[in-house]
Amino acid sequence: MTKLGLPDSIQACLFDLDGVITKTAVVHAAAWKETFDEFLRKRGDGEFRPFDAVADYNQFVDGLPRADGVRAFLGSRGIQLPGGEPDDPPDRETVQGLGNRKNERLLKRIRSGGVEAYEGSLRYIRAVRAGGLRTAVVSSSTNCRDILRAIDAEALFDARIDGVVAAERGLPGKPDPAPFLAAAGDLGVEASAAAVFEDALAGMEAGRSGHFGYVVGVDRVGQADALRAHGGDTVVTDLADLADQEPKA
């Protein structure tokens, strides 16, 4: 074992952004709620049932590419929209348009309130690098680079696979392991020698199906059991808790 709470075989660490490194998951959930509730009210299909910023967010959109999140949530309500194009304006009633509406609101919230990092995560990532392990950030967000710069953390990562890079490379989003596998490849390590750090159930599934060497669940919302059930080798409430923790066999 290492003092980082990881198996000795781990050579690289692959970190999700929202909810693991930054507190933007709450901001994402609020932007989704505002967007979906407005859409559902205007649609007026029977009794209005608002988007739940905890349950619906965790089940349908957390960790997924934006368009996939729109499809998943609307599908849960029996609603289908045309796919549209990635550059659809925010007022167009397509999957892409609704996703762009959410992103517009997200950016407004980020710019007005700033971005806050989990200090325990930043300390842990610095310790990982000091220990000689390589690091990558793996996020579905197209705003990943701007957010890292906002918290002065871009230099903490040797590679970045985000929504922009995934689109350029044609990578499917989580729960497919492709983004994490691409990050491991960019770092020059096999999946079995890389650890995945995630707070989303979709990310945990990606870690498990990609056969990574260790999968760490970060429980920010009281879903430790679900994180374990979806592939977590261990679950912590803060990455700082991993220090001196013995990995499970």
Side-chain angles (χ1 to χ4, degrees), residues 4 6 10-17 20-21 120-139 144 148 152-162 169 179-190 193-197 212 239 242:
L4 297 166
L6 302 172
I10 297 300
Q11 301 171 18
C13 294
L14 316 177
F15 298 92
D16 177 44
L17 178 68
V20 173
I21 300 171
S121 294
L122 295 183
R123 288 197 304 272
Y124 183 79
I125 295 167
R126 293 188 185 104
V128 163
R129 293 178 64 82
L133 279 66
R134 306 205 72 196
T135 56
V137 60
V138 183
S139 172
C144 178
L148 289 178
D152 196 26
E154 188 177 14
L156 293 178
F157 301 97
D158 303 303
R160 172 177 51 86
I161 301 293
D162 60 7
R169 298 189 189 181
F180 284 114
L181 292 171
D186 285 0
L187 295 180
V189 302
E190 298 293 330
V196 167
F197 298 79
F212 287 88
L239 291 188
L242 276 173

Side-chain angles (χ1 to χ4, degrees), residues 2 10 18 42 54 58 68 97 101 106 111 126 145 148 157 192 218 225 231 233 235 240 244:
T2 70
I10 297 300
D18 300 318
K42 286 183 177 179
V54 177
N58 290 332
D68 291 349
R101 194 180 312 171
L106 172 70
R111 288 164 184 159
R126 293 188 185 104
R145 193 170 201 172
L148 289 178
F157 301 97
S192 59
V218 184
D225 290 343
D233 292 302
V235 176
D244 298 318

